[in-house]
Amino acid sequence: MELTPPLPPGQHAQADFPRFGLFEFAARIADPQATALVVCGDTQTATTVPLPLPPELPRVEQTSDIHCVTTWSKRGVCWSGVRFADFYEHVVLPQARPLGGATLVALRGQDAYVTTLPLDDLLAPDVLLADHLDGAPLGLAHGAPLRVVAPRHYGYKSAKHLYAIEFWRDARAFRTAAFGFMDHPRARVALEERARYLPGALLRPFYRSLIGLARWRFRTALERHPRGL
Ligand SMILES: Nc1nc2c(c(=O)[nH]1)N[C@H]1C(S)=C(S)[C@@H](COP(=O)(O)O)O[C@H]1N2
Ligand SMILES: [Mo]
């Protein structure tokens, strides 16, 4: 029998895998057929990459847990797609050519969701640009047509409905509008970096209290949408 490692501090396992996020994004349904991903920012060239991702990129399959900052975790989610590191090497470096020091990466969704991670965190081997979940193309609920999967960071770093990847030299040139002070620059789950200034453990009860309403908002918005589930 395989032993399941313990959950990170303050997390509890959830049986289902809800569509989830900040309230204001619940009703902003993306276009699963979007055909372009933009790579831009402090780069030599702004580049448009066709979607689905070019088939010559190496593909991987990965089973990993997703940990939402509000304390729920879904264990053993099976994704497939392209490693961010491979995308960086085969597409970003040769085509967009980021300027020296452009190592703050903004991940932008079609729904105007945006979050950032340091380039080094995104180059970790378990960070994917995923386009499949459980062997099927990603659906609207979980980030069609393409999403980030960064298992060692809270879920809010894993931008869904990915529309642009931006490389910036200066962190001050960029603000994550959605989260303000709640957005930790790295949000590492193992260190409980839930938010920027407050200790993560202190925030658990507050975040936990939001889960029910957020789940309901995200589920009903999708059910009401003509494209549906
Ligand atoms: N574009 C976009 N990406 C997003 C969000 C969002 O609202 N919009 N929510 C984030 C949060 S808070 C979490 S926990 C995960 C949830 O992923 P899921 O809906 O596949 O469960 O997506 C993240 N990525
Ligand atoms: Mo989350």
Side-chain angles (χ1 to χ4, degrees):
M1 199 182 85
E2 212 175 287
L3 284 178
T4 314
L7 280 168
Q11 296 298 114
H12 63 270
Q14 197 163 261
D16 64 348
F17 183 20
R19 173 176 186 252
F20 205 85
L22 275 182
F23 292 161
E24 64 183 289
F25 296 95
R28 300 189 196 170
I29 311 285
D31 173 8
Q33 259 102 46
T35 54
L37 173 67
V38 176
V39 179
C40 61
D42 291 325
T43 59
Q44 304 270 343
T45 334
T47 304
T48 301
V49 182
L51 292 181
L53 287 172
E56 58 272 20
L57 289 171
R59 293 191 59 88
V60 291
E61 199 174 277
Q62 168 176 302
T63 300
S64 47
D65 301 345
I66 177 167
H67 306 291
C68 175
V69 74
T70 61
T71 72
W72 65 263
S73 296
K74 174 64 185 167
R75 310 210 77 167
V77 185
C78 179
W79 305 101
S80 70
V82 171
R83 283 201 176 98
F84 188 95
D86 288 326
F87 181 79
Y88 187 72
E89 184 188 329
H90 297 292
V91 178
V92 177
L93 282 179
Q95 293 180 31
R97 291 171 292 142
L99 304 181
T103 56
L104 177 77
V105 185
L107 306 162
R108 206 178 280 280
Q110 285 178 36
D111 53 355
Y113 184 90
V114 62
T115 188
T116 63
L117 270 176
L119 177 59
D120 277 349
D121 284 342
L122 288 167
L123 294 177
D126 59 355
V127 176
L128 307 186
L129 297 177
D131 52 17
H132 281 68
L133 169 63
D134 292 332
L138 262 189
L140 274 177
H142 294 295
L146 185 73
R147 75 174 294 166
V148 176
V149 171
R152 281 180 280 170
H153 304 264
Y154 284 114
Y156 66 83
K157 296 296 185 183
S158 290
K160 297 183 284 187
H161 318 297
L162 198 60
Y163 159 75
I165 304 178
E166 304 167 2
F167 294 83
W168 297 106
R169 278 183 298 187
D170 185 351
R172 284 167 303 173
F174 187 84
R175 287 186 292 142
T176 41
F179 294 94
F181 79 98
M182 300 307 282
D183 183 54
H184 190 283
R186 298 186 73 192
R188 285 166 295 178
V189 178
L191 301 181
E192 209 173 345
E193 293 171 335
R194 291 184 199 272
R196 201 180 280 259
Y197 307 113
L198 296 166
L202 203 69
L203 287 163
R204 290 177 197 171
F206 164 67
Y207 275 135
R208 211 176 289 134
S209 73
L210 303 174
I211 297 175
L213 185 57
R215 281 180 64 120
W216 180 80
R217 290 273 287 264
F218 272 78
R219 181 172 47 79
T220 51
L222 196 55
E223 281 168 2
R224 283 191 201 120
H225 191 268
R227 279 205 155 105
L229 281 161

